[in-house]
Amino acid sequence: MKMQHVFFDLDNTLWDHRRNAYLTIKDLFEKQEISSKYHIDFEEFHNVYHDINEELWEKIRDGIIGKEYLREHRFYDSFKHFGVENKELSLYFEEHFLDNIVSYNELVEGAEDILDYLKAKNYTLHIISNGFQEVTERKCTLSGIAHYFKTITSADAIGVRKPNPKIFEYSLGLSEARKEESILIGDDWIADAMGATDFGMDAIFFDVYKEDKQKEGLKAITHLQQIKEYL
């Protein structure tokens, strides 16, 4: 059956979350004069925050914690690592982080070009994101890519996240697509590549951080332009 529908993950697949988050936290760090007040180096702080945040998102993906736990802990635990236990400060960072991150809307290299390419080839495009409902559509709109997509599915819409098959089922229903004519492209090995494959849907693993994970028969790319080799 001919491929007709292309589903994309959003963060770090099209929308450069890692870069945009870095710039947002750096701005808040400077506004609160964290370096001078607490003698914390920003790069060291960001490295700690990144590791903590990634671990918490993995726990959300696996159903161990909810998003409220993540919001309460990612900045609090990061500051605590440097001996600063200040709930008011961590709450300030959390609230302003979510508000301000959409002020930075850098896309992953080649994102708009590949979206133009797929549109020109008459593929119908969609988003399936594990992100929060309240920011997913804003990211798409403010970065100028919302018009490419027929549907945008966020995990909050149904209360489960990739790799749970229910989110793929929901998104396919919303898009009126069949799994046999659909493919998912994403950067998370478990949530995207394995999630779609186990659901019975074709997948391309965007190995953006060159994790070099392999599974026989699974398509993999390290740059979005390489999608043209498959579609």
Side-chain angles (χ1 to χ4, degrees), residues 30-47:
E30 291 171 354
K31 285 181 178 177
Q32 290 299 303
E33 301 178 336
I34 301 300
S35 293
S36 59
K37 288 180 181 177
Y38 301 104
H39 308 292
I40 303 172
D41 176 75
F42 172 72
E43 296 297 336
E44 290 181 17
F45 178 85
H46 180 263
N47 288 337

Side-chain angles (χ1 to χ4, degrees), residues 7 22 31 33 39 42 55-56 70 79 117 119 131 135 138 149 165 184 186 195 197 207:
F7 291 79
Y22 175 92
K31 285 181 178 177
E33 301 178 336
H39 308 292
F42 172 72
E55 183 177 343
L56 290 171
L70 176 139
F79 278 112
Y117 167 83
K119 272 291 191 181
V135 295
R138 288 176 68 196
F149 305 106
L184 176 77
T197 301
D207 193 6

Side-chain angles (χ1 to χ4, degrees), residues 155-201:
D156 284 3
I158 54 171
V160 297
R161 288 176 161 75
K162 298 173 290 183
N164 191 309
K166 290 181 180 178
I167 191 170
F168 297 105
E169 194 72 59
Y170 175 87
S171 190
L172 285 176
L174 190 66
S175 60
E176 300 179 330
R178 292 158 60 173
K179 67 172 71 175
E180 297 84 4
E181 59 186 22
S182 304
I183 190 168
L184 176 77
I185 302 167
D187 71 296
D188 189 304
W189 176 256
I190 295 174
D192 298 316
M194 293 296 95
T197 301
D198 291 344
F199 176 67
M201 188 172 164

